Structures are given as C-alpha cells and as structure tokens.
Amino acid sequence: MFRGELSQRESMAPVVTLASNTIHSAERGFAPPPPPPDFAPWAAFQHDALVSALSLIDTMLDSEAGERGPELGWTEANQKFGDWLDTHGGDAQQKRKAIDAWLFGDLRNQVAEESFAAGWSVAQVKVWGTGSRPVQQMSRLPALGLFREMLHERHLNRGTTWRPNDVIDMVYLSCAAGYADFVVCERQMREPLARGIKRLGRSTQIFRSLADAVSAIETALDESADSGRVGLAHGDH
C-alpha cells in the first residue's frame, strides 16, 4: 500500500502459489537437504516430492500438540475493549468508528515499519494518517480488509468472549480468504468471515468441510479449465 502510494501504482507480491516447496525455498532462507548419493541427477524432483509428501503426512498425523506461544495481551485488550463497546459504544456507526480507531492503534508498529521501509517521511505519514484515508485504503487490501471486517463483526456482536486462539484464526483466515478462491474453516469464524466477504463484494467461497470444498473446486475447474488455476486455503481447525 505504501509503495503503491509513492509510485502511483499498486504492486502485490503473490501470497498463494502452486509452486512446489516454496515455503522451504532458498528465497525464504532455507537450504533443503540434497538427494541421497545414489539418486540420479534427473531424480531430484522425485526426491523433493517425496520429502514434501512425507513431511505433510507426518505433520497431519502428529498427535502431540505444539506448545502455545506466550500470550501478549491481545486477547485481554480485545475483551476489555469489547466490554466497553457493549456499554458505552453508542450506535452501530459510532462503534464502527471506535473499532477502526482501535485497529489503527493496534497496527501502529506495523504502519511505522512498513512506511519507513517504503521510503516515507514522518511528515508524509502524519498527513496520510488524518481523516478516513487510512481506513479506506486498508479496507481495500486483500487480507487486512477482511481482518477489519471480522474485527467489526465480532466486536459488534454483544457479549463476545475473546479467546487466545482468535487472533491466529482471524489473521490466517483473512489472509486465506483474501488470496485464495476456496477456504475451509469452523463455524465460529466462518460466519463473520463470510459476512465480511459479502460486505466487500469478494468472490471467495467459504466451506465447513473439505469434502464440500473439493466438490466446489471440481465444479470450478470443469467450468474454467482454460482460464487459469484456483487456490485453496484450509483453516487450522
């Protein structure tokens, strides 16, 4: 967003890709293990495919839960803010403005870091941060726009209980729905995500089961076999 503002054009890096082994590629700082000595040079792809498949299977079948990261106060802060909104927030429009202000404050470190990386001056950021411009621009971003909508939906729902895993669900599902054509997630997050997609006029389809998503993907592929590839994202539930 900040780079596009300077160059008068938007440039978005791809987030969903069908390229193999991207997450462990050299571009991300990884050095994958080489094939065994008895593998022929032409068999490198088979080796990569085998390692990838076995790693995914091992991850999905792993019954030991990973350690939860430290709670940094996001859950408690949202709960206190939501409780305050329920009592003192005013009408829906006033509450939406308060939620946007809360979100902008929550993103202040990222705004500072990314605007600096894009070459903005402090004076430019101050001018940009006035009025409704930041909210309007952020709402057009694929992932952050949906995250904002989910935040609105949950805070406008009186009596919402915030849990530590909510931030993970909201960040990754809004990213998935922002860049993929099909997303699978549980009911708790499906409803606010689906409503956000509708409000923004997006075309992403949301499902509660992988089977339903697979059927929809097959239909889409049949209908647009020559129009490109489609992306699938699966929530961590």
Side-chain angles (χ1 to χ4, degrees):
M1 180 182 67
F2 289 122
R3 291 191 182 101
E5 190 82 359
L6 288 180
S7 63
Q8 301 303 313
R9 63 182 179 83
E10 293 187 7
S11 112
M12 297 264 187
V15 173
V16 176
T17 177
L18 298 181
S20 63
N21 207 29
T22 300
I23 195 170
H24 296 119
S25 63
E27 289 80 3
R28 293 175 58 87
F30 289 93
D38 56 346
F39 262 57
W42 55 265
F45 175 78
Q46 284 89 334
H47 174 260
D48 289 344
L50 184 62
V51 171
S52 176
L54 290 176
S55 299
L56 291 173
I57 293 171
D58 183 57
T59 300
M60 289 187 286
L61 296 182
D62 188 3
S63 60
E64 295 184 13
E67 292 185 12
R68 182 181 294 276
E71 174 58 52
L72 301 178
W74 190 89
T75 306
E76 182 181 0
N78 269 277
Q79 190 66 64
K80 288 182 178 179
F81 177 62
D83 293 343
W84 177 86
L85 275 180
D86 288 348
T87 307
H88 307 288
D91 59 27
Q93 191 63 26
Q94 291 172 319
K95 287 183 177 181
R96 288 187 180 277
K97 291 181 178 179
I99 297 167
D100 282 335
W102 193 94
L103 174 60
F104 192 63
D106 192 37
L107 293 172
R108 61 187 180 277
N109 289 340
Q110 287 83 357
V111 168
E113 292 170 1
E114 297 304 328
S115 61
F116 176 80
W120 283 44
S121 67
V122 174
Q124 286 175 307
V125 176
K126 286 183 178 179
V127 172
W128 172 81
T130 59
S132 60
R133 188 179 175 194
V135 172
Q136 292 174 349
Q137 288 189 315
M138 288 182 180
S139 65
R140 292 198 296 266
L141 295 176
L144 189 56
L146 280 174
F147 181 86
R148 172 178 174 262
E149 290 294 332
M150 294 182 74
L151 196 70
H152 276 235
E153 286 286 342
R154 301 207 73 216
H155 273 304
L156 289 174
N157 184 21
R158 293 180 62 87
T160 294
T161 299
W162 291 82
R163 297 179 174 83
N165 62 311
D166 288 345
V167 63
I168 302 297
D169 291 346
M170 291 173 66
V171 166
Y172 283 98
L173 288 173
S174 59
C175 182
Y179 293 95
D181 300 298
F182 305 90
V183 177
V184 182
C185 64
E186 63 181 0
R187 180 179 179 182
Q188 178 186 358
M189 289 297 173
R190 178 183 179 273
E191 294 180 2
L193 181 60
R195 285 193 289 267
I197 289 171
K198 184 177 181 180
R199 280 178 60 88
L200 294 178
R202 307 281 181 86
S203 60
T204 305
Q205 298 183 49
I206 309 296
F207 300 93
R208 291 184 60 184
S209 73
L210 283 171
D212 290 341
V214 168
S215 297
I217 292 170
E218 290 176 342
T219 301
L221 290 174
D222 290 339
E223 294 175 349
S224 57
D226 299 324
S227 62
R229 295 174 292 187
V230 294
L232 167 69
H234 180 203
D236 59 357
H237 291 284

